[in-house]
Amino acid sequence: MNEKVPLSAILAAYPVREPSVRFIRHNENMTYRVTDGTTGQSYLLRIHKPVTDKLHGLQHSREGLHAEMQWLADLGAATGMRVQKPVASHAGEWVTSVNLGAESGAQSGVFCTLLEWIEGRDVGHGESFSREMVEGLGRQLGIMHRFSQTYAGAAELRRPRYAGVEQNEEMLARIRSGLSMDLFREEDLEIVGRTFTRIADKLERHSRSGSSWGLIHADINKGNLIVTEQGFSLIDFCLFGHGYYGYDLAGCALTMKTELRDSLLEGYSLVRPGAVTERLDLLEGFMLLSIFGFYSFHLHNPDKHPWMKERMPAFCKNYCVPFLEDRSLFYTL
């Protein structure tokens, strides 16, 4: 076990015996796969200390984490969706805490959660799937959003917000700060700024209502989809919060090959008839926001800087400019 993190002490709070532990990654959280040596059952342990304080947010607070755990438990129970169900501690708590010493570079009182592991494999780069499987993903997303529409107390949950005008302005400001870091060119940032303005104009004409705004996953990408024997499963709800349902749908569309995106929309429409009649150009705007979100998220990750610096000019030319010219992107982005 990692000598800097008291994993044995953390796991002693949970009903896991003779655990074996494998480190996964440290990004928004420190994550480990934990296997019970007596039952073979696996779990996901999350220690909610982001790799940089700049990633810290409501999602790392006790209240925010409890909301996520309650949402996952209720979502699985009400819909039958394959989600990572939270595991309570011996004290009956979904959120525990640990004091990390100075050696680990962490402050005391860091929160921890344990979730059931879902067996499956990652989505391969450029991998194709049957139309039936992609339609099933669309249905699953529609079921989650339909559940969100009637979820008691949803509006009061202290969770992050996404894709609203205010959040987009904050994202644009972060991306613009890349100029002083020598990541982006002024001419590209001018195009980025006009793209955000166009998206804001579209959002102003799109009413925020119970049918378009609610609790969403907010981070759907290939890394947060796994392939199981029963089809796709959505994992990693750590950023879940309030946002446009179209933002989730856009993230799903970006994970699929362009020729399969109609199947995704068809599956979603089976559960939420009429919901996809949201203007396709607005869905394309959400797709662009999802990609901009990647740039914003990794702005302070030096490992991503060469990729970002190389890709931004082509992204602006090939996608932002056509969007500004009202050319469709849904089947090309």
Side-chain angles (χ1 to χ4, degrees), residues 25-46:
R25 68 178 182 180
H26 188 186
N27 201 345
E28 303 97 353
N29 312 296
M30 303 167 69
T31 55
Y32 302 82
R33 179 170 181 167
V34 178
T35 303
D36 187 309
T38 64
T39 66
Q41 172 72 43
S42 288
Y43 304 91
L44 175 70
L45 172 66
R46 304 183 306 173

Side-chain angles (χ1 to χ4, degrees), residues 133-296:
M133 192 169 176
V134 176
E135 184 179 296
L137 175 61
R139 286 198 305 272
Q140 191 174 166
L141 188 63
I143 288 169
M144 187 181 77
H145 290 167
R146 185 176 63 187
F147 174 73
S148 171
Q149 285 183 267
T150 58
Y151 191 62
E156 287 73 43
L157 290 184
R158 284 182 54 79
R159 292 293 303 183
R161 294 178 178 270
Y162 301 95
V165 173
E166 180 180 343
Q167 292 78 42
N168 294 341
E169 289 175 350
E170 293 171 355
M171 187 194 302
L172 176 58
R174 287 193 296 271
I175 292 173
R176 281 177 167 157
S177 71
L179 180 63
S180 62
M181 301 166 68
D182 195 32
L183 286 179
F184 309 132
R185 305 181 305 178
E186 287 190 27
E187 55 265 40
D188 292 327
L189 289 177
E190 189 273 333
I191 294 172
V192 171
R194 288 196 288 125
T195 302
F196 271 83
T197 298
R198 180 62 64 87
I199 294 171
D201 290 343
K202 294 178 185 296
L203 287 176
E204 284 184 3
R205 298 193 296 270
H206 181 69
S207 62
R208 182 187 295 187
S209 65
S211 64
S212 64
W213 175 278
L215 293 172
I216 64 172
H217 182 285
D219 191 26
I220 299 178
N221 57 65
K222 285 185 174 67
N224 290 336
L225 275 178
I226 60 171
V227 183
T228 75
E229 292 181 354
Q230 295 78 34
F232 290 108
S233 282
L234 283 167
I235 61 171
D236 195 355
F237 280 74
C238 73
L239 295 181
F240 121 96
H242 307 272
Y244 286 101
Y245 296 132
Y247 189 69
D248 270 355
L249 192 56
C252 267
L254 287 170
T255 67
M256 294 294 122
K257 288 188 171 182
T258 57
E259 62 268 23
L260 293 172
R261 291 176 182 174
D262 280 339
S263 296
L264 176 75
L265 299 185
E266 288 165 6
Y268 190 83
S269 296
L270 288 173
V271 180
R272 301 190 69 222
V276 182
T277 57
E278 289 184 66
R279 300 190 317 271
L280 196 60
D281 64 330
L282 184 58
L283 192 57
E284 292 165 348
F286 287 135
M287 293 168 79
L288 290 174
L289 286 176
S290 182
I291 295 170
F292 281 131
F294 178 88
Y295 281 93
S296 173

